[in-house]
Each structure stands twice: as structure tokens, then as C-alpha cells.
Amino acid sequence: MNNRQSSESHHHGESSGKGRAAWHAVFNPDRPQNQVQHVRSASSKGRREEQRSRSSSPEPGAGSATKGRPLFAKPISRALEMSVTTKVVGCLRSNVLTILNIAGVFSGVVLALVLRSSREEKWTQREIIYVGFVGDLFLRMLKCLILPLIISSMISAVGSLDLSVSGRIGTRAIVYYMTTTVSAVILGIILVLTIHPGEGSDKGIVRGGSVRHVTTADMLMDLIRNLFPPNLVQACTAQYKTVLTPPADYLESLANMTNSNGTDAGNMTAGKPKNLYDWKMSSDYEDATNILGLVVFSTVLGVTLGRMGAKGKPLLNFFVSMSEAVMMITGWVVWLSPVGVMFLVASKMLEMESWEVMLGQLGMYFFTVMIGLFIHGFVVLQLIYFVVTRKLPFRYVGNLSEALATAFATSSSSATLPVALKCLEEKNLVDPRVTRFVMPIGATINMDGTALYEAVAAIFISQVRGIHLTMGNVVAVSITATAASIGAAGIPQAGIVTMVMVLDTLGLPAEDVSLIMAVDWFLDRFRTFTNVLGDSLGAGIVHHLSRQELEEMPAHPSGPKESDIELDGPIGGADLEKGESSNGGPSSRNPNVTSAAVEVEWQSTSM
């Protein structure tokens, strides 16, 4: 009986082995038969060794009972202690860079306080530059990566997606951006109308900085013009802007009024009316990367390469490779962030005036903006993430600490983009096709912190001026602040430029921007922090909503997975030397078989 069963099982094993070999021959013609037999024999050998080890091991308690020891020689408490220690060590290893970045921020504050207290006289500009030299080098490295990263990421992500899928992902991202921006503006308006930080006068507020005169219409048209740059090379270094030149009689009237009564020229509200629409118009280019225009061009080129199919594959693979190369360089630069962040924070702390003067003049305005940013960043955005994904956002946000620390130190959402992409893809495991499509757009148009700040600042200045706002004025501020935040560049203190647009809506002079200059540099860091947090949470939300479409698409912008390479030799069962498909798509020899099918049959052979 036993001999019959063994012969039947042997016959069954041979037939199943032949069946699996036939399966390989049909669905994976590129793999030689001897390789299939080798894999099958190796698998059988592994099973035999496992059975032999099980049979040779003693029964539980057999050996221990003869020696008079308990069943478990190692105490349970020691095992638990080792388990906890292993978890703690693993957690520290995986978050060492995050800990170093947070330590860098606090070290920068401590360094600035020590340097300020080391002597009574004020630190000179040259000395501050010396202190911030290392931080400036780190910032330059990040900015150097912005241009190649945005272009290659956008093209590779859009080109690797189906046009309908990329349209749905883009629509979800835009809906999220508009929802969060409008909610930030509404929150800011509610807070500033409730707290009334501008009650009193502006006599104790020190003005500072220079302002650019511009109308709302001109700024909106400049925004649209920058969407379509006439020269892509120029767009890498410059943005278009409209320049308004005042007439000669206005300058004479302004000079006479200043000389006659000693009034600050910025406070001039009387005299000859200042109608900006009558000023002479000209154009100029300012030194700033036109990210918006590059994003539009990259999106169009990515869609084009995706529609070209096989003809566009070589160029698409070039941008995929470039994107991966830039991300690898980003990984190297990120390890310099703790030192760079420390010196950037220290130099900015040395620049500021005394805390008493700054908070005494604009204390209520400062705290109103800070309360708004805190509520929006840690309540509203987190709640939106939880409602959509049904997951607590704490670990997700904790994995973004490197990007958030960089955002606070650099005060630039564009410079933080490489670090944010690295955190999202490596720690939060967000699909690169989503991050590299959504994040460059978010860093350009999604400015929640800036929108909240501009709404609060405009109404604060109107309160300082004693101007009563109607409901129509409030609605106009909300709409204009939303548009102004979209037009703001991802560079330090870009909100000051678009702030003029919001003031123009209320009929306030552009010079009144100087009222909030004293604290703007500091608030700008928290605005950028909120902007990067909103972009990153949006990438997670869009990835969650788009996971079904992404799973149905075999292509991946970052190339094939390592598991595919190990299992199937040439990627996806294709011959790379002959230029066949390597992204999990159909093989040219057998177009009906994808790498997913090969992976399924491979797993069946190992069972």
C-alpha cells in the first residue's frame, strides 16, 4: 500500500513538474528549459532539506526534560527586553537624519543667542554673511537641483501615465489645492475680524523695505504670460513682469510734499491722486526661475511622449533616468542638511532686531498669523487627510520632518522640493508617479500659508488705517488673496510682492506693505512650513484616491522593481540588448504576456 502511494505521488510530482515546465515554455519562451528545470530542482531540494531538518529536530521538551531545565531556557522578560531594544535601535537608525535636522534647528537658535550675547554692539552685515556661509552653500546645492528635478520628474511622471489617469490625478490635485487655499483664506479672515490686531494707529510701527507698484490686472496678466514663456532657456533664470513708471508731475508733487512738512514719502495719501492705470507701462524680467512656465511645458511634453508610444520611449527613458539621478544626488545633499540648517537659522536670527521691538510693534498681528497657520496646518489639513484616507496622519507627518525642517530654514518651497520628494517616496512610500506629478505643481500654485497671511495682512492694514470694510470688501480680499497666493513664487518673501495686489483691491497704497516688513521674514518661514506640509499631505491624499488606477498600470517612472530583475533575469522577460520592453509592458516576442503574468506563474512554481 505504501509502495503504491509513493509511486502515485512520484508520478503526480513528475506530471506536475512537466506541467509547470510546459507553463514556462508557453508563457516565458525567452527562458531556456534547463533554467526552468534548475529552478524546479532547487525548489524541490529546498523542500527536502526543510523536511529533513524538521524530522531531525527533537520533540518539544524531549531534550530539556532530561537535563531538568524548563521548556524555555531563555527568560521571557529577557526576550521582551531584547525585542524592545531592537525596536528602539531600529527606530533611531531609520530616523537619524530627522533627529539631526531638528537638532540643527535648535542648535542654530542656540548659536545665534550665544553670538548675540557675546558682545553688546550689533553684528555687521559682513559678519552675518560669514556665519551663514555654510548654510548658503547648502541652499545653493538645493536650488541647483530644482530645475533638472522639476523638468525630469514632470515629464517622466506624466509620460508614464495614461492620459485619462493623469487627467484624473491632476483634477484631484487641483480640487485639493483649491479647497485648502480657500479654507486658509476663510480661516485667516475669521481670525483677523475676531481678534482685531490692527486697532490703534501706525505711529509706533517702523516701516521698511521697498515696494513694487503694480495693479491687480497687470499681476494677473503677468501670471498668465509666465505660463507660456517665449524662451525656455530664459524661463530657467527669469520671470516676466510689468513695470509701471510714474509721471514726472507725480514725482515732483511727492518730493515737494516730503520736503515741505517732513512727512515720510511712503505715507503720502494726499496731494496729487495716484492712479496707477495712468502710469507708463513697460516690461522687464526679474531674476527668478519661471517654474510655472517650465511645469506647463514639461506637462505638455510628457503627454506628447506618452501618446507617441514606442517612438517617444527613448526620450522618456532619458528623463526617467535623469529623474533618478537627481534624486540620488538629493540623497547625498540631504545629509548636509543638519549643518546647513543650523547656520541658516543662526544667520537669520542674528539679522533680526530685538524681540521686544518686533513683538511690541506687531505683536497681535504676529500672533494672529501664527494661530491661523497652526490651526490650518495641524487641524484643518490633518482632518482632511484623515477624512479622505481613514488613516491617522501622525506617522505620515513625522516622516516629513526633514522636509519641514528644510522648509523652515530655507523659507523656499521650491528649494525644499527635492527633500520633500525623497521623504514622500522613501519613507511614506507614495508612488513616484504621483509625487513627481503633483509636488512640482503644488510647490508652484499651492500656497496655503501665503493665502492666509495675505488675507490677514490686508485686513490688518485696513484696521490700522481705520478703514471700515464692508462684506463686499471682505469677499474681494478672499478672492484676491487666493489668486495672489497662486501667483506667488516659491522663493523667500515672495508674498510681499503679491501683497500689493490685495491692497490694491481695498484701495490702500502699496507703500503700506512696509508696515509689516519687520516680522515678515520670520513669518515667512512658518508660511513655507505650512505650504510644504499642505503639498505633502495632498500627495498622500491623491495617491490614496488614485491607487486603483495606478495598480492597473504596469509602467513605473522609476523603472522596474528589483524583485522583477531577480526573478526573471532580463526585466519582464525581455532582452535588454535587443531593446525590448523593460517597464513591465508586453514583450515583443509574445505581446499578450506581461510581467505581471510572468510573476504569477513564477510564484506558482515555487509552491
Side-chain angles (χ1 to χ4, degrees):
M1 185 66 181
N2 294 333
N3 294 334
R4 181 181 179 183
Q5 290 178 349
S6 61
S7 62
E8 288 180 355
S9 61
H10 179 71
H11 177 71
H12 176 70
E14 289 184 350
S15 61
S16 62
K18 293 179 180 180
R20 282 194 291 267
W23 180 277
H24 275 279
V26 174
F27 288 94
N28 200 356
D30 296 335
R31 179 177 297 162
Q33 287 296 320
N34 58 355
Q35 182 179 357
V36 177
Q37 296 295 336
H38 173 71
V39 171
R40 184 165 57 85
S41 61
S43 176
S44 302
K45 182 179 180 181
R47 288 196 297 270
R48 288 196 301 269
E49 290 179 353
E50 182 180 358
Q51 293 174 357
R52 188 182 303 111
S53 62
R54 289 179 180 177
S55 60
S56 62
S57 61
E59 293 294 330
S64 59
T66 58
K67 296 183 180 180
R69 288 202 299 262
L71 178 62
F72 298 102
K74 185 180 295 184
I76 298 179
S77 59
R78 184 178 177 185
L80 292 176
E81 182 180 353
M82 292 182 62
S83 176
V84 172
T85 304
T86 304
K87 290 182 179 180
V88 171
V89 173
C91 180
L92 292 177
R93 285 181 178 177
S94 60
N95 295 287
V96 60
L97 190 56
T98 300
I99 298 172
L100 291 177
N101 273 301
I102 297 175
V105 174
F106 286 103
S107 300
V109 175
V110 173
L111 177 62
L113 294 176
V114 171
L115 293 177
R116 287 175 69 97
S117 60
S118 63
R119 66 184 190 186
E120 296 182 357
E121 60 270 17
K122 185 178 179 181
W123 285 71
T124 64
Q125 181 183 6
R126 178 176 290 273
E127 292 172 335
I128 294 174
I129 291 176
Y130 290 159
V131 173
F133 178 71
V134 177
D136 183 58
L137 291 181
F138 169 67
L139 188 58
R140 285 172 173 267
M141 292 179 189
L142 287 179
K143 290 182 176 180
C144 177
L145 298 173
I146 295 174
L147 191 61
L149 181 62
I150 287 181
I151 294 177
S152 61
S153 297
M154 289 292 297
I155 295 175
S156 61
V158 177
S160 301
L161 292 170
D162 184 75
L163 186 58
S164 60
V165 175
S166 61
R168 286 194 290 271
I169 291 177
T171 302
R172 289 163 184 157
I174 297 299
V175 170
Y176 168 80
Y177 294 154
M178 294 306 300
T179 302
T180 56
T181 302
V182 172
S183 63
V185 171
I186 294 175
L187 175 61
I189 291 176
I190 292 174
L191 288 175
V192 73
L193 292 178
T194 303
I195 300 175
H196 291 283
E199 289 183 350
S201 65
D202 63 334
K203 293 181 180 179
I205 301 179
V206 178
R207 295 174 177 269
S210 58
V211 236
R212 171 191 165 195
H213 294 278
V214 65
T215 64
T216 303
D218 293 335
M219 186 164 290
L220 290 176
M221 287 192 295
D222 287 348
L223 176 63
I224 298 175
R225 289 189 185 103
N226 284 317
L227 290 173
F228 310 101
N231 189 332
L232 288 177
V233 178
Q234 186 184 41
C236 298
T237 59
Q239 283 186 358
Y240 180 91
K241 69 175 181 179
T242 299
V243 179
L244 299 180
T245 305
D249 55 351
Y250 172 79
L251 295 176
E252 293 176 1
S253 175
L254 185 64
N256 293 335
M257 185 173 185
T258 303
N259 295 331
S260 61
N261 53 17
T263 305
D264 185 3
N267 285 325
M268 175 184 170
T269 55
K272 188 174 181 62
K274 183 180 66 174
N275 187 359
L276 295 178
Y277 291 92
D278 294 335
W279 289 18
K280 183 180 179 181
M281 295 178 60
S282 60
S283 62
D284 194 8
Y285 285 90
E286 60 181 347
D287 186 15
T289 304
N290 183 10
I291 296 180
L292 202 58
L294 295 176
V295 164
V296 171
F297 173 78
S298 301
T299 304
V300 174
L301 181 57
V303 171
T304 304
L305 294 179
R307 294 182 67 98
M308 288 176 65
K311 292 183 179 179
K313 195 69 175 178
L315 184 56
L316 180 60
N317 288 336
F318 165 77
F319 285 110
V320 170
S321 180
M322 176 185 285
S323 178
E324 291 301 313
V326 175
M327 287 303 298
M328 183 175 292
I329 298 174
T330 301
W332 300 338
V333 174
V334 161
W335 281 101
L336 303 175
S337 58
V339 180
V341 164
M342 180 180 71
F343 286 103
L344 281 174
V345 172
S347 62
K348 289 302 178 182
M349 292 283 290
L350 288 176
E351 284 183 4
M352 75 172 188
E353 301 292 337
S354 63
W355 286 98
E356 294 79 7
V357 174
M358 185 178 71
L359 298 183
Q361 294 172 345
L362 300 168
M364 290 302 296
Y365 164 74
F366 177 86
F367 285 112
T368 302
V369 177
M370 287 296 296
I371 291 171
L373 294 177
F374 179 83
I375 294 176
H376 183 74
F378 292 99
V379 178
V380 177
L381 293 178
Q382 316 279 335
L383 187 61
I384 293 175
Y385 180 87
F386 173 74
V387 170
V388 175
T389 64
R390 299 296 180 181
K391 299 178 182 177
L392 292 176
F394 305 125
R395 176 173 295 182
Y396 186 93
V397 175
N399 291 334
L400 297 172
S401 55
E402 297 171 23
L404 298 178
T406 306
F408 181 84
T410 62
S411 189
S412 172
S413 54
S414 298
T416 312
L417 181 61
V419 185
L421 286 174
K422 181 176 175 61
C423 292
L424 288 170
E425 295 175 10
E426 295 185 0
K427 292 191 173 182
N428 286 324
L429 304 180
V430 182
D431 196 303
R433 289 171 291 182
V434 174
T435 58
R436 303 183 188 190
F437 180 29
V438 170
M439 288 298 290
I441 299 176
T444 308
I445 68 174
N446 186 39
M447 303 285 183
D448 297 344
T450 304
L452 185 146
Y453 146 81
E454 292 188 345
V456 173
I459 299 180
F460 165 76
I461 293 174
S462 67
Q463 291 175 352
V464 170
R465 289 297 193 186
I467 300 175
H468 176 71
L469 297 180
T470 63
M471 183 57 66
N473 296 133
V474 174
V475 173
V477 167
S478 62
I479 297 175
T480 313
T482 303
S485 66
I486 295 175
I491 57 176
Q493 293 186 307
I496 285 293
V497 179
T498 56
M499 186 70 220
V500 179
M501 175 177 164
V502 185
L503 294 180
D504 184 62
T505 304
L506 298 177
L508 296 171
E511 291 83 3
D512 279 355
V513 171
S514 59
L515 291 171
I516 58 176
M517 285 286 194
V519 295
D520 182 76
W521 71 270
F522 194 59
L523 288 176
D524 190 32
R525 279 160 164 66
F526 292 97
R527 296 199 305 265
T528 307
F529 181 98
T530 307
N531 293 339
V532 173
L533 179 61
D535 295 344
S536 303
L537 288 172
I541 290 174
V542 173
H543 174 257
H544 177 79
L545 296 176
S546 309
R547 62 190 186 282
Q548 185 174 357
E549 292 98 332
L550 294 172
E551 290 174 357
E552 296 174 355
M553 298 186 62
H556 202 280
S558 60
K561 298 181 180 179
E562 293 180 1
S563 59
D564 296 334
I565 300 176
E566 294 175 359
L567 291 177
D568 295 318
I571 304 169
D575 191 350
L576 294 179
E577 295 181 357
K578 297 181 180 180
E580 295 176 9
S581 173
S582 62
N583 282 332
S587 171
S588 59
R589 296 185 182 179
N590 194 352
N592 296 323
V593 183
T594 62
S595 61
V598 175
E599 186 176 355
V600 170
E601 60 87 12
W602 178 262
Q603 293 176 354
S604 66
T605 62
S606 62
M607 294 179 61

